[in-house]
């Protein structure tokens, strides 16, 4: 996922040393102790993140009140660890104290969660998170000089407010990431790369958590095998399986929104990696010298290690060994994990979803071959099957990159706005315009790179993850639900085959869609573009029978009408006349 690293990381460094209470160098102190010290000293920031992600509608004053409650709790436990609440998990205490704030559960509609306890309550709060943050007001805007002055006047309040605003708009981003990049996001004139970095991380972490929630720990394990094997190709399989245990437990904490557990478990993973540098990677030495939480972000987004020179292009034991079926039957999960490990570290050019597709193809092939009279003859053509699968995926990417070449950026966006709206018209206009823009970003980012295939396939998979959502009970329409829930690896090919949803019943009235007002003439260029995108999506929802070519020309017609009428003496009368004269409407 190297293409997601947008170099903005360094912008935050001069702030981090001032804003977070960082411990001494990791090698000087026991890792568990240093992590605990970091958590205790930054309990205020961690509370802001957790509460703002769980209750996104809450005001900063309400968040600040809870920070004071949790800081007081931390102070009591530091002085007297035998108090009844002190041994309990921090997230349990946080949720309990959140529920205890008078009137808050009723005000923000999470009373039902407060009637639960422990993991059930935690999961209830998690499912209450909202991906679509259109209900939140725009981020407050101050010029850089005003921000710096506010920071100097009350650093703690300013940083808490920054983390609050970023966290509630990114409810699925893991706490360590937010602790690392939230602060520079508030200095927007200097931090645009960080904003994009955070946005990319949000999609990735949400996609992985969605895989865990909808498909279970086995799919999460496969994703991590593919990613870690490509990143650390010289790691031994035994070492990888040991590391995977820590990685899987990290996601369980992070995806549930338990900020403290997430920080603690990720620190454990990074300690594991840094303690075995010689056998894992030659690229992480400098990262391992860093402090919490930057050490983790540095390792995750470091370059892939060089492929071992003695690593053969193919692992014959999985396709040319006469005892493949017996080895598989002895322990199917370990066997398939080792196959995915060996194939992934030999193919750094492939995307994570493609590696999972190859593993599924191999698993299905063995299911078939191991029941035949001569299994080796059957699975001997496995490499052909793998190449065939990759070629199909490559053709999808090539078609998409041809769209980038043949269509301008605006027409490319309109193409995907129309496509997404036709296959999933039940989604809100905001969600559909977001998906269209994300698709354009993915393709324009990747289609000129040398690693075009992996980049496109990885980033488009994140767009599909946004569409499918993170909650297992999300339902859009039968065809989309089938693609989202049947097979994680093959979601993308499944979506390629989708056409307009036949179960959709459009609204009976236009609901003011074709009523244009004079304020359109005062709209800035970006706002006018948003109006144009929304108009196109809403028109497709209203008239799904319109053809693609006809719809594709509408934004140009729309711009011409706005330009003409905004020059007229009576813009609203002009708009009414122009829209009434459009036969397609």
């Amino acid at each position: 996922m190297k293409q997601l690293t947008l170099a903005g990381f360094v912008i935050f460094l001069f702030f981090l040393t001032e804003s977070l209470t960082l411990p001494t160098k990791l090698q000087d102190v026991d890792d568990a102790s240093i992590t605990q010290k970091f958590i205790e000293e930054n309990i205020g920031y961690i509370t802001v993140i957790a509460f703002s992600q769980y209750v996104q509608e809450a005001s900063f004053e309400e968040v600040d009140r809870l920070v004071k409650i949790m800081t007081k709790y931390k102070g009591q436990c530091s002085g007297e660890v035998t108090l009844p609440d002190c041994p309990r998990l921090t997230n349990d205490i946080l949720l309990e104290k959140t529920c205890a704030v008078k009137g808050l559960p009723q005000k923000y509609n999470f009373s039902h969660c407060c009637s639960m306890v422990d993991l059930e309550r935690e999961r209830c709060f998690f499912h209450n998170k909202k991906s679509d943050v259109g209900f939140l007001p725009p981020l407050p805007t101050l010029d850089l000089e005003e921000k710096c002055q506010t920071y100097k006047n009350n650093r703690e309040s300013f940083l808490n407010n920054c983390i609050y605003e970023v966290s509630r708009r990114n409810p699925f981003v893991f706490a360590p990431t937010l602790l690392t990049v939230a602060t520079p996001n508030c200095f927007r004139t200097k931090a645009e790369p960080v904003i994009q970095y955070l946005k990319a991380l949000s999609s990735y972490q949400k996609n992985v958590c969605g895989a865990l929630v909808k498909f279970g720990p086995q799919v999460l394990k496969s994703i991590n095998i593919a990613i870690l094997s490509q990143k650390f190709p010289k790691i031994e399989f035994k070492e990888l399986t040991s590391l995977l245990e820590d990685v899987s437990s990290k996601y369980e904490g992070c995806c549930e929104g338990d900020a403290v557990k997430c920080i603690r478990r990720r620190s454990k993973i990074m300690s594991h990696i840094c303690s075995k540098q010689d056998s894992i990677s030659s690229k992480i030495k400098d990262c391992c010298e860093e402090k919490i939480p930057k050490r983790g972000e540095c390792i995750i987004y470091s370059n892939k290690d060089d492929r071992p020179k003695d690593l053969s292009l193919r692992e014959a034991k999985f396709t040319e060994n006469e005892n493949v079926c017996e080895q598989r039957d002895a322990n199917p999960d370990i066997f398939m994990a080792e196959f995915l490990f060996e194939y992934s570290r030999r193919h750094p050019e492939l995307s994570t979803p493609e590696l999972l597709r190859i593993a599924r193809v191999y698993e299905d092939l063995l299911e078939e071959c191991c029941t035949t009279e001569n299994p080796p003859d059957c699975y001997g053509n496995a490499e052909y099957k793998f190449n065939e699968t990759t070629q199909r995926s490559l053709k999808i990417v090539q078609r998409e990159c041809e769209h980038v070449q043949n269509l301008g950026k605006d027409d490319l966006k309109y193409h995907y706005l129309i496509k997404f709206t036709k296959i999933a018209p039940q989604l809100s206009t905001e969600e559909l315009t977001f998906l269209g823009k994300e698709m354009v970003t993915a393709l324009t980012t990747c289609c000129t790179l040398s690693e075009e295939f992996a980049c496109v396939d990885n980033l488009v998979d994140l767009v599909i993850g946004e569409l499918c959502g993170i909650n297992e009970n999300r339902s859009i329409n039968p065809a989309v639900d089938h693609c989202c829930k049947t097979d994680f690896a093959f979601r993308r090919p499944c979506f390629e085959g989708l056409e307009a949803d036949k179960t959709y019943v459009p609204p009976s009235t236009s609901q003011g869609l074709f009523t244009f007002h004079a304020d359109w003439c005062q709209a800035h260029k970006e706002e006018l573009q948003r109006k144009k995108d929304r108009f196109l999506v809403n028109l497709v929802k209203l008239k799904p029978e319109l053809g693609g070519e006809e719809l594709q020309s509408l934004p140009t017609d729309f711009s011409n009408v706005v330009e003409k009428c905004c020059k007229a003496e009576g813009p609203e009368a002009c708009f009414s006349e122009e829209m009434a004269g459009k036969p397609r409407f």
Side-chain angles (χ1 to χ4, degrees), residues 471-497:
N471 294 331
E472 70 264 41
N473 57 356
R474 177 173 166 97
S475 181
I476 299 169
N477 62 54
V480 169
D481 292 349
H482 171 77
C483 289
C484 287
K485 297 176 181 179
T486 304
D487 191 315
F488 181 82
F490 282 91
R491 290 187 307 183
R492 188 146 134 71
C494 183
F495 271 99
E496 273 300 300

Side-chain angles (χ1 to χ4, degrees), residues 343 354 357-358 361 365 381-396 453 490 493:
Y343 200 88
E354 185 61 20
R357 289 175 208 131
I358 296 293
V361 166
L365 180 66
N381 71 343
E383 289 289 342
Y384 171 79
K385 293 277 189 185
F386 302 157
N387 292 337
E388 187 179 55
T389 304
T390 300
Q391 283 303 310
R392 279 197 292 268
S393 300
L394 185 58
K395 283 180 181 176
I396 294 174
F453 172 69
F490 282 91

